[in-house]
Amino acid sequence: YPRHIKFIMDFQKIAERIKEDLEEDDKNGNEIIHFNITGGTKPMCSAALFICILNGIPTLFVSDKAGHDPIWVPLMNMNYLDALTRKERELAQWILDHKSEDLTQVNIADMRGEKKTAINYLVTKLVAKRAVELMDSGDGRYKYVKPSEGIEFLFRVSQRKS
């Protein structure tokens, strides 16, 4: 059923709102049979499709031209965070939980009681997947490991929280 969304141009807020609404429906025992992404702004349609992809919800688009059948979007039931290994997800979540701190890979290894080479390996993979970023300390002496905006968003809106 239609829901009113105030922030029609903010992709992340729209996606978070849709995810909250889906969770509320699920909590109330309302089964989502399909999601119609027709209408609204492009960010609204994109956010709805994104959430449907993340949650494996059958999705359709209805053309405004008379006589056209609905167009079903072929989606697989999968979790986008599965692109990360369990260890990568755990480290990304840990980095996210410590995002206010200026942490180097050495700090992370020490704080987690893990080998520096293991942390370097995982951070390198997370950087390549754009889950974390290496930020210059300003004086060129250190590279701080920070969560990307994308991984923060994915942890908020994906099926699995960890």
Side-chain angles (χ1 to χ4, degrees):
Y1 52 91
R3 305 243 167 95
H4 178 72
I5 295 180
K6 295 185 276 192
F7 23 82
I8 61 172
M9 299 305 285
D10 188 324
F11 175 87
Q12 288 192 19
K13 283 185 179 177
I14 296 165
E16 289 170 356
R17 168 65 190 278
I18 292 168
K19 178 65 175 172
E20 289 168 6
D21 287 348
L22 291 173
E23 288 172 346
E24 184 70 24
D25 282 345
D26 189 49
K27 188 173 80 176
N28 292 331
N30 299 327
E31 181 183 0
I32 304 297
I33 298 169
H34 64 269
F35 200 108
N36 183 346
I37 60 171
T38 307
T41 64
K42 288 180 182 173
M44 291 171 77
C45 182
S46 298
L49 179 59
F50 185 73
I51 293 299
C52 289
I53 289 169
L54 289 179
N55 293 277
I57 299 170
T59 307
L60 68 107
F61 173 82
V62 180
S63 174
D64 57 359
K65 296 188 176 23
H68 287 254
D69 290 334
I71 300 166
W72 288 90
V73 180
L75 298 178
M76 293 172 40
N77 191 8
M78 60 179 286
N79 186 333
Y80 198 79
L81 287 174
D82 287 342
L84 303 177
T85 66
R86 180 184 55 80
K87 288 185 177 189
E88 290 169 346
R89 275 194 310 274
E90 288 171 0
L91 182 58
Q93 182 65 62
W94 189 91
I95 291 168
L96 186 56
D97 292 342
H98 294 83
K99 72 179 182 177
S100 64
E101 301 173 46
D102 289 331
L103 298 172
T104 64
Q105 292 182 46
V106 171
N107 298 138
I108 293 169
D110 290 344
M111 290 173 74
R112 290 176 55 93
E114 297 182 36
K115 292 181 180 180
K116 293 171 187 67
T117 54
I119 294 299
N120 176 264
Y121 174 76
L122 290 171
V123 167
T124 300
K125 289 181 73 177
L126 289 171
V127 167
K129 294 177 180 182
R130 297 188 188 148
V132 300
E133 301 170 347
L134 297 178
M135 310 296 285
D136 194 295
S137 61
D139 60 9
R141 293 177 33 200
Y142 303 106
K143 296 267 189 208
Y144 296 128
V145 182
K146 296 291 183 182
S148 70
E149 184 178 346
I151 199 69
E152 286 190 69
F153 177 63
L154 283 172
F155 274 117
R156 284 196 307 269
V157 299
S158 289
Q159 290 175 332
R160 189 177 331 147
K161 298 294 183 192
S162 60

